[in-house]
Amino acid sequence: MADPNEPTSRKYSVQRFPAVADKDDSDAYGRCATWVQAVSHGFHQQRRDDEYLAKTLAAYQADGRELTGVYVNGVVPEHSLEANVPVATYATMRKDLNIGFGRQLESNLVTAVTVRGTHRRQGILRGMITADLAGAKDDGLAMAALTASEGSIYGRFGFGVATFERSIKVDTGPRFRMKGRPEGTVEVADPTVLLDVAPRVFERVQRLSPGSVDRQEYYRLAASGSLGQDGKPDTSVRCALHYDLSGALDGYVSYRFKGWDHKPYTMEIVDLVAATNAAYLDLWRFLGSIDLIEDVTWAEAPVDDPLAWALEDPRCIEASEVRDMLWLRILDIPAALQARRFASAGRLVLEVTDSLSLAGGTWVLESDGGAAAVVTEASGESADLTMDVADLASIYLGAVSPVTLAAAGRVREKSAGAAFLAQQLFAVERPAHCLTHF
């Protein structure tokens, strides 16, 4: 995993190992538990107790996570953290990404990236991430993805922002009135049903939503209240289910009351998943009808939210600034482009630079607007558009317009109208949105 060309490589050793939840395998379990503690330290979280570690590692094992730790070679200073505690962490798992029109692309998901402050500027992050991306490409994957805690880190490794989200607070007092009529029914349920129901409903959403990433085990546990942030059951979680006109289950919301000492009285959405537009709006009708509640908050709301257009008074919604959510990194340009269905017909010559030399080159993209596109290496042709591989990742799901990137000087238009043609080509059937943090 480490870059053998890094001059500091003799100072550190790198270990990569699968997540193990079996306590009978004491050495492997202990190494994984120590790794989880190091991640918590890196993200300024509390030290984890045994219950949290056991539940977390069981979930990690279910996800098939591969864990990486970077360790100091030799003796560490007296009284400092022991040498078996990694100074840097990194993890991956492989999940499907919806790339538009229902198509799925297996992707390498990067998560739990930390480097202890006392070991920065040693080439550790670059060594971990470049080796991992190269390994994923060697395994035949065309895409990597992550969600970033800081926006300035991953662009230099070829990642580009591909979806956005925002936090909202909805006034559900007397002003809250929705247009139209319900197209199904909502019933309150015991949240533990989501252990079974949540993955099945999300599977439908995964097939329908560009930008969606298949979920890890954690989500059904959190949505059902089986696993709170402290590793213990969250008994404050409630849930409601949506049924369509035929009686089929097609959506759910889990939520918690923020307490009588929180004014105004607020309900917080834990997870809201709807496989149809009707289910989405009906679940909001339900949330807006809860007695004594004045506000409902949601931290993962879409930017292009139909709720605003379904309310008689859209000013009931108070929204945060739009923020980046999913970042993509293309590892194999022909494979990534050929996996897509393009919304219109057209031909573009794309010149793509890549500082890591994983996916650069000049490629001809030809689409007839049908099911398949032809991607070939350009043989001496002049480029219509020139961009970095991070910018290609940003336009890949249609969430960022190439016209905007051209105006920002990030995409260079060599042929008049090429950026607008690219905007049409890379459009997807509905706004890209990702409900899966990792």
Side-chain angles (χ1 to χ4, degrees), residues 116-329:
R116 198 183 300 169
T118 49
H119 291 264
R120 290 188 181 142
R121 306 292 186 266
Q122 302 291 317
I124 292 175
L125 174 59
R126 177 167 292 273
M128 290 192 297
I129 200 165
T130 55
D132 176 59
L133 295 178
K137 181 178 181 179
D138 289 344
D139 287 345
L141 273 66
M143 188 72 70
L146 54 79
T147 56
S149 55
E150 295 182 66
S152 61
I153 296 175
Y154 295 101
R156 66 180 184 266
F157 299 112
F159 285 86
V161 179
T163 74
F164 300 89
E165 67 178 11
R166 61 181 186 166
S167 299
I168 60 173
K169 180 172 68 174
V170 181
D171 179 350
T172 57
R175 297 168 58 207
F176 185 90
R177 295 187 300 275
M178 294 183 66
K179 302 174 183 177
R181 299 178 61 83
E183 296 185 35
T185 59
V186 176
E187 298 290 346
V188 172
D190 187 312
T192 59
V193 302
L194 294 181
L195 289 170
D196 175 58
V197 166
R200 291 194 279 117
V201 175
F202 186 81
E203 184 181 2
R204 292 184 59 184
V205 173
Q206 173 69 14
R207 295 197 303 267
L208 295 170
S209 304
S212 180
V213 173
D214 198 15
R215 282 182 156 180
Q216 61 268 35
E217 174 73 358
Y218 166 80
Y219 268 94
R220 74 184 186 102
L221 300 176
S224 65
S226 301
L227 181 65
Q229 293 184 350
D230 60 358
K232 297 174 174 57
D234 185 347
T235 56
S236 66
V237 170
R238 302 289 183 265
C239 92
L241 309 177
H242 184 269
Y243 303 85
D244 68 16
L245 293 175
S246 72
L249 179 63
D250 63 356
Y252 69 84
V253 60
S254 64
Y255 53 94
R256 67 168 69 88
F257 181 48
K258 296 195 76 170
W260 295 113
D261 57 346
H262 186 285
K263 302 288 183 68
Y265 297 142
T266 299
M267 201 67 78
E268 176 185 38
I269 293 174
V270 176
D271 197 23
L272 196 167
V273 177
T276 66
N277 294 331
Y280 183 75
L281 296 181
D282 284 355
L283 287 169
W284 270 109
R285 285 188 177 91
F286 163 76
L287 291 167
S289 72
I290 299 175
D291 287 341
L292 306 178
I293 297 302
E294 300 167 82
D295 285 338
V296 175
T297 62
W298 189 21
E300 300 173 358
V303 176
D304 296 298
D305 194 344
L307 176 63
W309 299 94
L311 288 168
E312 291 188 9
D313 183 358
R315 293 185 182 181
C316 287
I317 301 175
E318 181 180 320
S320 70
E321 295 294 325
V322 173
R323 60 179 179 268
D324 60 86
M325 198 287 184
L326 185 70
W327 294 60
L328 297 180
R329 208 296 179 189

Side-chain angles (χ1 to χ4, degrees), residues 97-100 162-163 211 326 328 340 393-399 426 428 432:
L97 165 70
N98 184 317
I99 58 173
T163 74
L326 185 70
L328 297 180
R340 273 240 21 202
S394 288
I395 71 174
Y396 185 74
L397 297 177
F426 283 94
V428 290

Side-chain angles (χ1 to χ4, degrees), residues 17 28 37 134 142 146 221 319 348 379:
F17 43 92
Q37 298 285 19
L146 54 79
L221 300 176
L348 280 174
S379 53

